[in-house]
Amino acid sequence: MLKVESINYTYQKSFQLRDISFELDSGQILGIIGESGCGKTTILNLIFGKLDTAEGSIYWSNNKILGPSHQLIAGREDFKYVTQDFELMPYTSVLENIIKPLSRQYLEDNIIRANELLKVVNLEEHQNKKVKNLSGGQKQRVALAQALANTPKLLLLDEPFSHIDSFFKNKLRRELFRFLKKEKITCIIATHDKADVLAFSDKILVLKQGEMLDYRSPKQLYNSPSSGYVAGLFGDYNLVNSKFISTEFNEDEIVVYPNEIELRILSKNSVKITDQYFMGEYYKVIVNYKSKTFIVHSLKQLNEHSSYILIFKVDTILNRLGK
């Protein structure tokens, strides 16, 4: 188990990480999400032992994790940290990079393990290529495979899919997190992309300017976001005065997602369509209603010359909020 207790960290008086606490059971996946510069990488560095906490403590299985003031080499043998620098051997092959952390006494077993990981990161066809000849996204996948070769107890990932194009990214996420669950590897992933964590994390920690705003399951965060900032990390949203919707809500303002609003044709127009964007499965429609801007999803392109009324799907919103 990983236990983080009230850690604080200050960097040159320009950034402060304040009172961060959470626990993570063995085999669980934690997503840390927030805007750039909010402290995601700093938390990973503190957990790995690259930095000293100003206050608070970090424990792994009741053993305190110490920073550079207490030990020369950061981290533990059973921790792996995949940064955005990759730290690979450029003049050796993909296969050789993956088996680098493994004992040389068991070459045959090492190759079997490497082949398993090559499938996870979809690099079977490139195993004999020198790393220096790979793209940035391919290098990132090699770094992931190398980190998994010796089955770490804790895997720390800093924006692990940032260099990988969309064609490979979705499949890689599924394969990687399926593998982590199968091997019961505890993982913390720091990212700004909701797709990296929403479907795969057991818990999500939301950061803003060094402060921990929320720490719940992905479903809880999405269904009942504590603020517009939290909702915005998962995509478009509308912050709506409850009087626009229904008297059934006690809150002054409610987060309403674009799919929870409908534009219905009516003889009398109540909204003005200002923009429409084709998103593949739906159109993102920007409308003006009672001097406020709303984002609505529509399954088809709308006629901007027709008259529409804005309808809030009250039952859908209430159901999401558990009311």
Side-chain angles (χ1 to χ4, degrees):
M1 173 191 281
L2 178 71
K3 191 172 185 179
V4 176
E5 296 182 335
S6 302
I7 59 172
N8 290 269
Y9 178 79
T10 301
Y11 176 71
Q12 295 182 350
K13 297 183 180 180
S14 61
F15 172 80
Q16 186 178 11
L17 196 69
R18 297 178 290 277
D19 197 24
I20 306 297
S21 298
F22 63 87
E23 292 184 7
L24 196 60
D25 290 334
S26 178
Q28 284 192 317
I29 296 171
L30 168 67
I32 302 179
I33 193 166
E35 61 192 359
S36 296
C38 67
K40 301 186 295 292
T41 300
T42 301
I43 289 179
L44 296 187
N45 287 333
L46 288 165
I47 291 172
F48 194 67
K50 283 188 172 184
L51 300 173
D52 291 303
T53 60
E55 294 178 25
S57 302
I58 303 171
Y59 295 91
W60 173 258
S61 299
N62 296 320
N63 296 312
K64 190 172 184 179
I65 295 174
L66 302 174
S69 297
H70 303 276
Q71 55 183 27
L72 293 175
I73 300 175
R76 295 164 40 117
E77 289 186 2
D78 51 0
F79 286 12
K80 290 297 179 184
Y81 186 4
V82 181
T83 69
Q84 297 183 62
D85 298 328
F86 308 149
E87 298 177 359
L88 300 171
M89 300 182 296
Y91 296 102
T92 57
S93 71
V94 168
L95 184 66
E96 289 172 303
N97 271 270
I98 294 174
I99 65 176
K100 177 190 173 186
L102 302 175
S103 171
R104 296 182 180 181
Q105 295 180 2
Y106 308 102
L107 182 59
E108 188 175 334
D109 291 339
N110 294 350
I111 292 174
I112 292 172
R113 178 65 168 177
N115 285 329
E116 180 185 15
L117 293 169
L118 284 166
K119 290 179 182 178
V120 172
V121 299
N122 196 25
L123 283 174
E124 300 103 308
E125 297 178 2
H126 303 281
Q127 62 176 301
N128 296 317
K129 282 187 179 180
K130 285 185 170 59
V131 165
K132 71 183 182 69
N133 296 324
L134 300 179
S135 68
Q138 289 169 334
K139 290 176 183 176
Q140 195 162 35
R141 285 184 274 158
V142 175
L144 284 169
Q146 185 188 80
L148 294 168
N150 209 18
T151 315
K153 294 286 182 63
L154 176 64
L155 178 66
L156 304 174
L157 302 175
D158 190 4
E159 302 283 359
F161 311 112
S162 58
H163 295 272
I164 300 169
D165 59 54
S166 298
F167 184 79
F168 291 107
K169 191 180 292 187
N170 292 330
K171 182 182 178 183
L172 176 60
R173 286 193 192 103
R174 293 193 299 270
E175 293 295 329
L176 175 63
F177 290 114
R178 185 185 296 120
F179 182 84
L180 295 179
K181 285 295 185 182
K182 177 176 75 74
E183 300 274 323
K184 297 180 180 179
I185 297 171
T186 308
C187 177
I188 301 178
I189 171 174
T191 182
H192 65 277
D193 188 346
K194 65 169 184 177
D196 292 345
V197 295
L198 191 57
F200 308 107
S201 298
D202 296 291
K203 297 279 189 178
I204 293 179
L205 189 157
V206 181
L207 284 177
K208 183 179 182 182
Q209 296 177 352
E211 290 190 15
M212 184 169 130
L213 294 190
D214 216 325
Y215 176 64
R216 289 181 288 162
S217 73
K219 191 173 182 179
Q220 289 171 327
L221 284 178
Y222 183 83
N223 285 345
S224 184
S226 55
S227 66
Y229 176 84
V230 174
L233 294 173
F234 300 111
D236 292 321
Y237 72 99
N238 303 283
L239 198 57
V240 185
N241 190 315
S242 61
K243 69 181 182 181
F244 281 2
I245 309 174
S246 170
T247 57
E248 297 183 63
F249 297 101
N250 297 322
E251 300 89 341
D252 292 332
E253 287 188 314
I254 297 170
V255 168
V256 178
Y257 293 112
N259 63 302
E260 296 172 333
I261 304 176
E262 179 184 354
L263 286 171
R264 190 176 299 170
I265 291 181
L266 201 68
S267 57
K268 184 179 180 181
N269 195 25
S270 68
V271 303
K272 176 179 175 57
I273 297 174
T274 58
D275 285 296
Q276 295 188 69
Y277 304 95
F278 176 64
M279 305 300 293
E281 296 179 353
Y282 62 91
Y283 282 84
K284 181 189 295 186
V285 186
I286 313 299
V287 304
N288 189 275
Y289 172 65
K290 294 186 177 181
S291 301
K292 289 182 66 67
T293 299
F294 291 86
I295 303 172
V296 184
H297 289 173
S298 173
L299 294 177
K300 60 182 180 180
Q301 188 172 15
L302 302 179
N303 185 344
E304 296 181 12
H305 300 292
S306 297
S307 297
Y308 296 92
I309 187 172
L310 199 71
I311 303 293
F312 293 97
K313 300 177 183 178
V314 176
D315 289 343
T316 302
I317 299 169
L318 286 170
N319 184 62
R320 169 172 60 81
L321 294 173
K323 297 184 177 181

